[in-house]
Amino acid sequence: MPASQHQSPKSDIEISQSAKKRPILDIAKEKLGIAPENLEPYGHYKAKVSMDYIKSLQAKKNGKLILVTAITPTPAGEGKTTTTVGLTDALNHIGKKAMLCLREPSLGPSFGMKGGAAGGGYTQVVPMEDINLHFTGDFHATTSAHNLLSALIDNHIYWGNAHTGVHPWRSVRQYCTWLQFGRCHDHCAQARRLCGD
């Protein structure tokens, strides 16, 4: 960390955007021995490891897992991601072959009082803005799949629930007096916690 960081500290986003990033395909090959054909890239700096590759490792000896969870961050931001990034960097520094795995952050905490979910300061994962806003798109895919099922149910009920022997039951209206299948959307629910019923 440069000494100037103490006199005039940079924000997390400034640090993230000034980082010299390397292509994820190069890092995976050099550090972990994962060939490019075993990765599903999301741009130049993010990728998912294919399930076929993960299954091919079943005969190999398991590594060690360190799970970092349930740490309540302080106002300075020492939370789960910061701890995970720092620990992974430290293990690599002493010669261990370590990698980290993060979940896609919810937009609620990212835009609420908590801030981002990519760590902080010089202990963060980059590109920070991509990770906080969309990462690999899993939340969007889950939302779309769930809402597609909602539309299917709506359409089925609207058109009278007629079946032609495909299902053993004939009508949702005939057998159900009440059906709940809500929509799904990643959003900040902080204000809802303050509301009474």
Side-chain angles (χ1 to χ4, degrees):
M1 174 171 36
S4 61
Q5 176 65 6
H6 294 292
Q7 283 100 27
S8 56
K10 291 181 182 177
S11 67
D12 289 347
I13 191 72
E14 289 172 320
I15 293 168
S16 172
Q17 290 177 343
S18 66
K20 291 179 182 159
K21 297 182 279 293
R22 294 182 56 213
I24 193 68
L25 299 179
D26 294 349
I27 294 170
K29 189 170 185 177
E30 290 171 26
K31 298 282 187 181
L32 302 169
I34 301 174
E37 59 269 16
N38 294 314
L39 296 172
E40 183 180 340
Y42 287 80
H44 298 291
Y45 308 111
K46 299 175 290 184
K48 287 183 182 179
V49 180
S50 75
M51 284 305 296
D52 289 338
Y53 179 76
I54 292 170
K55 288 175 185 174
S56 76
L57 300 175
Q58 286 180 342
K60 293 194 173 192
K61 182 182 172 189
N62 286 336
K64 293 187 170 90
L65 172 69
I66 301 171
L67 181 62
V68 179
T69 186
I71 296 172
T72 303
T74 69
E78 301 95 345
K80 295 181 288 292
T81 306
T82 304
T83 302
T84 303
V85 172
L87 183 59
T88 305
D89 282 349
L91 288 169
N92 278 305
H93 184 72
I94 62 170
K96 302 294 180 185
K97 197 174 188 179
M99 64 182 286
L100 64 88
C101 179
L102 298 174
R103 76 283 177 240
E104 182 172 349
S106 173
L107 291 178
S110 290
F111 286 103
M113 63 167 34
K114 178 187 170 293
Y122 286 92
T123 311
Q124 63 176 299
V125 182
V126 295
M128 169 215 226
E129 56 274 33
D130 286 359
I131 292 166
N132 283 329
L133 293 176
H134 199 60
F135 210 15
T136 56
D138 290 347
F139 269 167
H140 177 72
T142 302
T143 299
S144 295
H146 183 95
N147 289 335
L148 179 62
L149 288 174
S150 295
L152 181 79
I153 291 170
D154 283 350
N155 192 44
H156 182 69
I157 292 170
Y158 178 81
W159 288 105
N161 308 300
H163 288 287
T164 56
V166 177
H167 297 287
W169 47 277
R170 285 200 307 252
S171 170
V172 171
R173 288 186 186 132
Q174 182 178 353
Y175 297 105
C176 297
T177 56
W178 187 74
L179 174 69
Q180 180 177 356
F181 193 87
R183 298 300 196 263
C184 174
H185 180 30
D186 180 36
H187 67 283
C188 182
Q190 194 72 31
R192 292 184 67 192
R193 294 184 184 119
L194 303 174
C195 299
D197 290 333

